[in-house]
Amino acid sequence: MKTRANFPLQAFNSLNVPAVTAEIFLPSTVKELSEITTDKALRSYILGEGTNTLFCQAKAPTIIKPRLMGIEVTENDEYFQVSAACGENWHNLVLFCISHAIYGLENLALIPGSVGAAPVQNIGAYGIEVSDFIERVTWYDFAEKKLVDFSNAACQFGYRNSIFKQALNGKGIITHVHFLLPKAWQPVDSYQGLNTIISPVTPQAIMAKVIQLRQTKLPDPKLLPNAGSFFKNPLVTEDFFHALQQQYPKIPYYRQQSGEIKLAAGWLIEQAGLKGFRDGGVGVHENQALVIINYDSKHGQDIVALSVYIQEKIMAKFNLHLIPEVRFIGADGELSHTNRGCQ
Ligand SMILES: Cc1cc2nc3c(=O)[nH]c(=O)nc-3n(C[C@H](O)[C@H](O)[C@H](O)COP(=O)(O)OP(=O)(O)OC[C@H]3O[C@@H](n4cnc5c(N)ncnc54)[C@H](O)[C@@H]3O)c2cc1C
C-alpha cells in the first residue's frame, strides 16, 4: 500500500487550506485497508476528495484516503443494481449511469466529492437525496477488521445525516455503495428551476439543466475555494416558525413530512447583512450567502472564526443556532460542535 510522510493536503481540500499530515495511507484494496493497525485507523481521519472538510490547524491527523475503484452493474426485470467503490468520483458515477441508460441519479449531477462520502451526509439536491436510491452500503469495520453490510434502513439516513456521521463516525470506512435504480424511470422535476424544462422531460434534459443551474449559481472551488453550503438549513418547530413569520412575513420555508419546518440558512445569513461580507482573506460569497469563500487565507482558523461570527449574528437576530455541514478537523481529529476554538 502507498503511504507518505509529511504530506501536504492543500490540494486535497476544496477550501484550499494548507495543512500537513505526518502520515497518509492510500489503500487501493480491502486487503491493504486491513494492513493499517486498528489503533492507528481509529485515530485517523478518512478523506475523500475533501470538498466537505475544513482543516482548522496547520497539522492534520493521520489520514486514510481510500482509493478503491470500480463500478459494476447487474440487472433484473425491474431494477439496475449499480455497485460503486468508494474512490470513484460522484459526478463520474452519475455520467456513467446516464451513458448506460441507467436513470435516477441525474438530479445529483455535479455534486463534488467521492462515492464513499455520498452516504455519510446523505448528499442531496434538486428534490432528491442519495438515500432514495441506496440499497445497501458495505463498510469496513476497523475494530472487527471485517466487512459489514448496512441495509438502507440500517444506515439511518436523515437530512444531511446518517449513522456514518453519528455512531459510526471514525470507526470504519465505506468501501462500496450499492444503488437500486428502477427501470421504470420517474422524473423528479418539480423543484424550482427544473419545472421550466421544455417537454419531453428526459433524464438527459434534467441533468443538463441541473448542471447549468449549478454552474450559474455556485462558485467553482477551483476559482473561489469553498466547500459548498457551509451550514445546514435549520429545522424548526411549527410554533417557532409562526413566531418568526410574524416578524419576517417573507421568510422562505419548506414544510417537512416530519411536521418540522425547514428554513433557508442562506436567507437568514443574507437578512443578517452578511452576504458579501469580507474578513481579511475569507468571506461570504457575494451571490450565495450560504457559501464561505477562502479568498487567500492560509489559516483554517480564519474560516472557523468567520463561521462562529455568522453563528453569533444569526443567534442574535433569529434566536437560531446554525449547524455547520462542513466537517472541522483539528490536529488530533474531528472537532466537536463545542470545541472549535482551535489555534
Ligand atoms: C461547490 C460545492 C457544492 C456542493 N453541493 C452540494 C450539494 O448540492 N449537496 C450536498 O449534499 N453536498 C454538496 N456539497 C458537499 C460535498 O460535495 C459532499 O459533502 C460530498 O459528499 C463530499 O465528498 P468528499 O469525498 O469530498 O468528502 P470529504 O470532504 O473528503 O469527507 C466528508 C466526510 O465524509 C467522510 N468520508 C469520506 N469518505 C469516506 C468513506 N469512504 N468512508 C467513510 N467516511 C468517509 C469523511 O471522513 C468526512 O467526515 C458541495 C460541495 C462543494 C464544494
Side-chain angles (χ1 to χ4, degrees):
M1 166 179 36
K2 281 201 173 139
T3 58
R4 299 265 188 282
N6 298 322
F7 189 85
L9 294 163
Q10 187 168 11
F12 293 88
N13 72 92
S14 63
L15 279 161
N16 198 34
V17 171
V20 174
T21 173
E23 195 172 27
I24 184 169
F25 295 93
L26 301 152
S28 300
T29 61
V30 172
K31 184 173 175 302
E32 288 186 347
L33 201 48
S34 69
E35 289 164 13
I36 307 169
T37 63
T38 299
D39 192 39
K40 197 158 254 184
L42 287 170
R43 283 188 282 110
S44 301
Y45 179 66
I46 318 302
L47 184 66
E49 296 186 18
T51 65
N52 207 27
T53 295
L54 168 59
F55 291 112
C56 302
Q57 295 172 281
K59 284 186 184 166
T62 300
I63 300 282
I64 302 176
K65 184 167 168 49
R67 301 204 299 190
L68 283 71
M69 302 300 281
I71 302 174
E72 285 174 18
V73 181
T74 55
E75 61 183 293
N76 62 26
D77 288 348
E78 287 178 61
Y79 292 98
F80 289 105
Q81 194 206 46
V82 179
S83 295
C86 61
E88 293 286 342
N89 172 266
W90 173 260
H91 181 61
N92 282 348
L93 174 67
V94 176
L95 293 178
F96 172 94
C97 288
I98 297 276
S99 68
H100 287 76
I102 301 170
Y103 304 132
L105 300 180
E106 51 281 346
N107 295 51
L108 302 179
L110 218 63
I111 296 183
S114 59
V115 164
V120 175
Q121 75 150 357
N122 186 17
I123 56 167
Y126 293 98
I128 279 183
E129 290 180 327
V130 72
S131 57
D132 297 339
F133 295 101
I134 289 179
E135 181 200 21
R136 67 197 159 88
V137 168
T138 305
W139 158 267
Y140 177 79
D141 189 287
F142 290 145
E144 300 286 328
K145 281 192 162 284
K146 66 173 191 193
L147 292 171
V148 187
D149 267 0
F150 284 81
S151 67
N152 183 298
C155 291
Q156 299 175 16
F157 289 119
Y159 166 61
R160 298 294 180 273
N161 212 350
S162 73
I163 193 170
F164 309 108
K165 199 171 169 180
Q166 302 297 336
L168 295 182
N169 187 15
K171 295 188 174 151
I173 282 189
I174 292 169
T175 62
H176 294 84
V177 185
H178 310 277
F179 302 89
L180 213 49
L181 295 146
K183 290 187 171 177
W185 176 69
Q186 292 287 338
V188 178
D189 58 352
S190 54
Y191 203 87
Q192 198 185 6
L194 299 185
N195 48 11
T196 56
I197 298 174
I198 298 160
S199 229
V201 177
T202 63
Q204 291 79 1
I206 292 183
M207 185 169 79
K209 191 72 184 177
V210 166
I211 289 175
Q212 186 209 342
L213 288 167
R214 292 185 72 95
Q215 285 176 335
T216 326
K217 282 183 170 181
L218 290 170
D220 180 352
K222 290 196 184 76
L223 305 174
L224 288 174
N226 74 84
S229 303
F230 200 90
F231 299 99
K232 299 204 311 184
N233 288 319
L235 293 168
V236 299
T237 62
E238 185 92 36
D239 287 351
F240 186 91
F241 169 67
H242 280 309
L244 215 52
Q245 201 183 31
Q246 299 283 313
Q247 246 182 309
Y248 305 96
K250 289 187 180 162
I251 187 168
Y253 64 97
Y254 312 91
R255 239 170 248 290
Q256 305 297 292
Q257 279 177 354
S258 61
E260 289 172 304
I261 312 280
K262 193 193 274 182
L263 305 177
W267 186 89
L268 301 171
I269 296 169
E270 192 175 342
Q271 294 305 304
L274 294 172
K275 197 175 181 179
F277 173 79
R278 281 283 292 261
D279 183 15
V282 299
V284 178
H285 189 251
E286 287 169 3
N287 301 325
Q288 284 296 332
L290 196 44
V291 178
I292 289 184
I293 305 286
N294 179 17
Y295 290 100
D296 56 13
S297 170
K298 300 274 176 274
H299 308 286
Q301 189 57 36
D302 291 345
I303 299 170
V304 177
L306 176 59
S307 72
V308 170
Y309 179 71
I310 295 170
Q311 285 174 316
E312 285 170 357
K313 285 278 181 192
I314 298 303
M315 178 55 81
K317 192 170 173 66
F318 300 105
N319 194 25
L320 260 175
H321 177 63
L322 286 185
I323 299 172
E325 189 178 302
V326 172
R327 314 296 290 263
F328 286 46
I329 310 304
D332 298 323
E334 184 152 10
L335 302 170
S336 73
H337 282 190
T338 50
N339 178 27
R340 283 181 175 161
C342 46
Q343 297 303 307

